[in-house]
Amino acid sequence: MTAMIGRQAVVIGAGIGGLAAAAALAGHFEAVTVLERDRLPVDSEPRPGAPQSNQLHALLGGGLQAFCELLPGFDDDLARTGATLFRMGLDDRLELPGFDPFPVRELGPRFYSLSRPLLEFLIRRRIARLGNVALRDQCRVLGLVPGPDGSVAGLRCVQAGGGDEVLAADLVVDASGRGAPTLAFLQATGWPAVEKTAIGVDIHYVTATFTRTEADRDWKGVVTFPEAPDTKAGYLTPIEGNRWMALISERHGEVPSAEPGAFLALARRLRTSTIYDTLKAERPLGKVHRFAFPESVWTRYERLGGFPRGLVPIGDAVGRFNPVYGQGMTLAAQGGLTLLTLLRAKAGQQDPLDGLGRAFVLALQPLIETAWSAAAVPDFAHPLTRGERPADLERSLHFTGALFRLAARDPEVHRLMVTVRHLLAPASALRDPELVRRIEAEMAAA
């Protein structure tokens, strides 16, 4: 049994962050309502309001771990519906300049490969089984409703074909795409302007799906990184239905063509031929989907010094990350787990909702810092990347290069590096004094 701390919680958005939040809230509120502007598919179709759902996505090891705690047995759901199990270091081929491929080793953790629409469908199906959670689609949020003390008392929304209504709530979780309801409420109620940190990456990418025939390969998926000044990177992973999903990204260039033949031509221009050689004998399925991502944005709620009662922002409402690193869904899932941990800790207090929003944005910071630091250094290696470059960028780039060289020789360093990359350990794990000494010796020897 879990202690109830409120009557009604409302979640804005039924994406990965909103669904993770609903799973966390279900055991602590009598009723949880999830509002989604889109029409929610009855199966694993892409949602029209999430055009990026047609693109290749990754739920990293840290995301799988979070969902297995939020929804026990979720990994069994994935296995039963055709997701592909990956053993880190054994099944994922990593091609880096100087390492084609990176050494193959059993590193321990596991993750699954599947399409974003199927992942959302499986989570929605589990959420729907929770007796006190209601999913309302085609419902647009108009704004948050303030209480007399400046807290959030609920929200106004409009259902397709209906009129405005006010939903009272003890807690509102904002899992919208850009956090507009939270930012508008803060402005309307006199809070200081929220600072944002941005990195202009100007990524364009295309995703295509192909048939997947059985072949004698020693890998299940592959990532190919370029050698500067080229910026084309390739990603190939299996998804349900015996299909390949392939993505090619490029920075600061023209939007790639959506013609099927152009996709293979682009794959042929990658630094290695692994992806092209795999796909040239396969049959393309459906359309080629294009997407543009101009900048990573971290909304710095932790710098406000406080936060309104009855409000928690989560997922993309806090940070939108360069998609080529595959961190977004995992951070959203970990946000849900962080919320669950706080609710459990506060359940026995006299006023469990007091300070919850502030505690949440502070607890989220180490997770975001790990993801942000992992992406910022390689992003700023590109001279056209916009934003404030770290003062020690050159040293950080050399440090990262030395870490990779050391990891190629030392399985334990490799395991630690991948564990941090999959958001299963904080970035601080790579600052262990003995490890730093070894990396600095590698830098000196280069």
Side-chain angles (χ1 to χ4, degrees):
M1 295 291 293
T2 55
M4 293 292 169
I5 63 176
R7 290 190 299 274
Q8 167 89 341
V10 178
V11 180
I12 305 171
I16 299 297
L19 295 173
L25 296 167
H28 294 277
F29 289 82
E30 293 175 17
V32 178
T33 302
V34 182
L35 307 180
E36 172 54 49
R37 183 178 55 184
D38 270 353
R39 177 190 64 81
L40 290 175
V42 296
D43 52 21
S44 57
E45 297 176 5
R47 290 189 290 119
Q52 74 276 19
S53 64
N54 288 299
Q55 306 291 334
L56 186 150
H57 282 72
L59 183 69
L60 303 179
L64 176 62
Q65 181 185 70
F67 270 121
C68 286
E69 293 191 45
L70 289 165
L71 301 168
F74 185 66
D75 51 345
D76 294 331
D77 293 356
L78 297 176
R80 282 193 296 265
T81 51
T84 299
L85 175 67
F86 273 71
R87 301 164 298 169
M88 288 185 198
L90 282 181
D91 297 326
D92 46 332
R93 178 184 174 94
L94 176 60
E95 299 178 337
L96 292 166
F99 301 98
D100 289 324
F102 208 75
V104 176
R105 304 183 176 108
E106 169 62 76
L107 299 177
R110 305 286 195 263
F111 66 102
Y112 283 87
S113 173
L114 69 165
S115 70
R116 163 81 177 258
L118 177 58
L119 178 63
E120 283 196 7
F121 168 72
L122 293 175
I123 301 170
R124 283 199 308 270
R125 189 172 67 180
R126 287 291 298 270
I127 295 296
R129 293 174 185 166
L130 302 173
N132 62 335
V133 179
L135 295 170
R136 287 179 56 180
D137 64 356
Q138 301 184 81
C139 186
R140 183 164 56 92
V141 172
L142 303 175
L144 303 181
V145 175
D149 58 353
S151 64
V152 171
L155 54 78
R156 290 177 57 243
C157 62
V158 57
Q159 193 84 33
D164 292 11
E165 65 175 304
V166 174
L167 291 181
D170 300 298
L171 180 66
V172 173
V173 176
D174 184 356
S176 61
R178 297 179 182 271
T182 293
L183 295 172
F185 180 85
L186 291 172
Q187 182 180 27
T189 53
W191 286 81
V194 183
E195 297 177 37
K196 295 185 179 182
T197 302
I199 302 176
V201 294
D202 297 319
I203 293 277
H204 296 95
Y205 51 98
V206 286
T207 292
T209 307
F210 293 80
T211 57
R212 176 164 55 94
T213 55
E214 293 298 326
D216 186 18
R217 304 182 186 93
D218 58 2
W219 51 267
K220 294 180 180 178
V222 60
V223 178
T224 300
F225 285 116
E227 187 160 23
D230 187 18
T231 65
K232 279 187 291 298
Y235 307 78
L236 181 67
T237 188
I239 62 171
E240 67 279 1
N242 291 321
R243 294 175 291 165
W244 287 117
M245 183 169 274
L247 180 148
I248 299 174
S249 69
E250 192 161 12
R251 298 169 185 258
H252 316 296
E254 296 183 359
V255 180
S257 170
E259 293 299 319
F263 186 92
L264 277 180
L266 196 60
R268 195 169 194 171
R269 291 165 54 198
L270 292 169
R271 188 180 58 81
T272 74
S273 66
T274 308
I275 293 176
Y276 174 76
D277 289 343
T278 303
L279 295 180
K280 65 183 180 182
E282 301 288 3
R283 178 169 52 89
L285 302 170
K287 296 168 55 179
V288 174
H289 298 279
R290 299 189 292 182
F291 199 74
F293 185 88
E295 62 181 6
S296 304
V297 179
W298 180 0
T299 305
R300 309 304 297 264
Y301 294 115
E302 82 281 3
R303 295 178 179 176
L304 286 177
F307 209 72
R309 178 188 174 91
L311 178 61
V312 167
I314 198 171
D316 285 359
V318 180
R320 302 189 303 279
F321 299 87
N322 185 339
V324 301
Y325 303 107
Q327 301 164 325
M329 295 197 308
T330 292
L331 283 168
Q334 291 181 325
L337 183 58
T338 300
L339 179 59
L340 176 61
T341 301
L342 285 172
L343 291 172
R344 285 172 172 168
K346 284 178 162 288
Q349 297 178 7
Q350 185 173 358
D351 185 0
L353 294 176
D354 182 40
L356 176 65
R358 174 68 174 165
F360 178 80
V361 297
L362 291 177
L364 209 58
Q365 294 318 295
L367 298 173
I368 297 179
E369 286 167 2
T370 293
W372 194 265
S373 62
V377 171
D379 279 344
F380 278 122
H382 299 275
L384 295 180
T385 298
R386 296 173 284 109
E388 184 177 350
R389 282 171 159 70
D392 62 345
L393 177 61
E394 286 302 315
R395 185 185 185 280
S396 296
L397 289 170
H398 289 305
F399 185 93
T400 300
L403 171 62
F404 271 90
R405 294 193 298 274
L406 186 60
R409 299 196 305 269
D410 188 326
E412 290 306 312
V413 176
H414 189 184
R415 178 176 290 106
L416 179 62
M417 184 179 73
V418 169
T419 300
V420 173
R421 163 75 180 83
H422 276 260
L423 304 182
L424 288 161
S428 58
L430 297 175
R431 296 194 290 270
D432 173 78
E434 175 58 22
L435 177 59
V436 170
R437 184 195 65 76
R438 293 179 64 192
I439 294 172
E440 289 176 340
E442 183 72 27
M443 293 167 63

